[in-house]
Each structure stands twice: as structure tokens, then as C-alpha cells.
Amino acid sequence: MASKLWELFWTFARIGVMTFGGGYAMLPILQREIVDNKHWADEAEMSDYYAIGQCTPGIIAVNVATFIGRKEAGVIGGIVATLGQVFPCLVIICIIAGVLDNFADFKIVQDAFGGIRACVCVLIFNAVLKLFRSGVADAATFLIFLVVLIASACTNLSPVVFVVAAGVLGVAVRTLGLDGKGRKEAAEK
């Protein structure tokens, strides 16, 4: 059990070091470590964790660490994974906060942050593409995607409203058999 806890802490601490850009920028790193390397979750589970993590208080990456840790080693695993995720961030933020005021006006620092912002945009875009491929699997989910995309662009509603509404739509579409799967599965039972 101790080796599993250490593995959880160390894995999420390594992910936590990559704090640039926040939770969304960490999505590709989480994907690679959790799905591809450790096999602690599959792509569908990660999409679910991202969705739930978006609706719950806190940073997505921290929430995902808690979910994965809990899944792998119970409540203590959730705590250890969360601490692993947060610890490097805390150290890095304390260091940056201590020196940023002294160097923020330097042109080289401003240029570096400009490059980092561009890189973060690419990381987020890649994460969105992976989420799209795993989350939008048929015409029904594509329609839900479009409705939520348009509604989120045209309103200031909370993301929680969109996630709950999309969940209800997903259940309704599946239950009514509008996706072609619900009726087929019901007939098989």
C-alpha cells in the first residue's frame, strides 16, 4: 500500500510541476500519465473526470488527482494524490511570488511569458481535440455539443448549468432511443 501511495504522490507531483497555464494546460499531461502510462483510467473515464472536475470547486487537475487517488487507493489515496498535485504548485507559486515583482518589468521576462502563453494555447487546443474525439461519438452527442457551444457563446450561464443540462439531454436521448442505441439495448435486455 505504501508503494502505491508513493506512486500516486510522485506521479501527481510530476504533473503538478507543469503548472503553466493552469488546469486546462495540464489536461494533455494528465492524459499521458493517467491513461497512457499508468492505465489508471481510460479516455472515457478521463472525460468524465474532466466534466465532474469542471463542476466541482477547485482546479480540474487537483480534482482529477483526488478522483484517481480515491479510485486507486481509497480515501487516503485521494488525499495523497491531491497533496502530490498541490505541493509543487505551492512551492513554485511561493518562489515566483517572491521574485516576480523584481523581474516583471524586464523585457526578457515579458517575452518569455508571451511565449509561454502561446504554448499553453496549443496544449489546451490539443486537450480539447482529444476530449472532442472521445466525447462526441455520434450524431446525438454532436448535437448536444453544438447546443452547449452555442448557448455558452451566447449566454453567461455557469458551466455547471451546461454540464447538468447536457447530462439530462444525454439521458433523454438515450432513453428515448434517439441515438439508435437506447432502443437496441432495451430490446437486448
Side-chain angles (χ1 to χ4, degrees):
M1 180 69 159
S3 64
K4 177 57 112 179
L5 294 175
W6 174 249
E7 183 180 19
L8 283 165
F9 181 88
W10 181 243
T11 298
F12 284 103
R14 285 194 334 258
I15 293 169
V17 168
M18 300 298 162
T19 58
F20 303 105
Y24 292 113
M26 288 184 179
L27 296 182
I29 299 165
L30 285 165
Q31 176 80 21
R32 185 184 67 235
E33 284 298 315
I34 305 308
V35 175
D36 300 338
N37 295 346
K38 299 293 184 181
H39 307 289
W40 287 338
D42 59 28
E43 288 192 24
E45 285 176 299
M46 286 301 286
S47 293
D48 292 343
Y49 292 148
Y50 295 155
I52 295 167
Q54 180 68 38
C55 296
T56 53
I59 300 167
I60 292 174
V62 174
N63 294 344
V64 169
T66 305
F67 297 145
I68 295 293
R70 167 75 168 75
K71 178 184 171 193
E72 291 297 311
V75 173
I76 191 72
I79 293 168
V80 167
T82 301
L83 290 174
Q85 180 69 47
V86 172
F87 182 73
C89 301
L90 181 64
V91 171
I92 291 169
I93 289 169
C94 286
I95 291 169
I96 290 173
V99 299
L100 186 59
D101 285 341
N102 298 335
F103 299 103
D105 294 332
F106 289 11
K107 182 167 176 21
I108 192 167
V109 172
Q110 293 172 352
D111 293 345
F113 279 125
I116 290 169
R117 283 191 298 271
C119 176
V120 166
C121 290
V122 172
L123 294 174
I124 292 170
F125 181 74
N126 286 336
V128 167
L129 285 178
K130 285 184 179 183
L131 285 171
F132 183 84
R133 287 186 200 126
S134 67
V136 181
D138 53 29
T141 53
F142 183 73
L143 182 60
I144 293 170
F145 168 81
L146 283 179
V147 168
V148 172
L149 178 67
I150 292 166
S152 68
C154 298
T155 68
N156 289 326
L157 293 174
S158 167
V160 174
V161 172
F162 293 120
V163 172
V164 170
V168 169
L169 280 173
V171 169
V173 164
R174 195 70 179 255
T175 302
L176 296 172
L178 300 176
D179 64 347
K181 294 177 185 176
R183 288 184 185 155
K184 192 183 297 182
E185 289 177 358
E188 290 173 1
K189 289 182 180 178

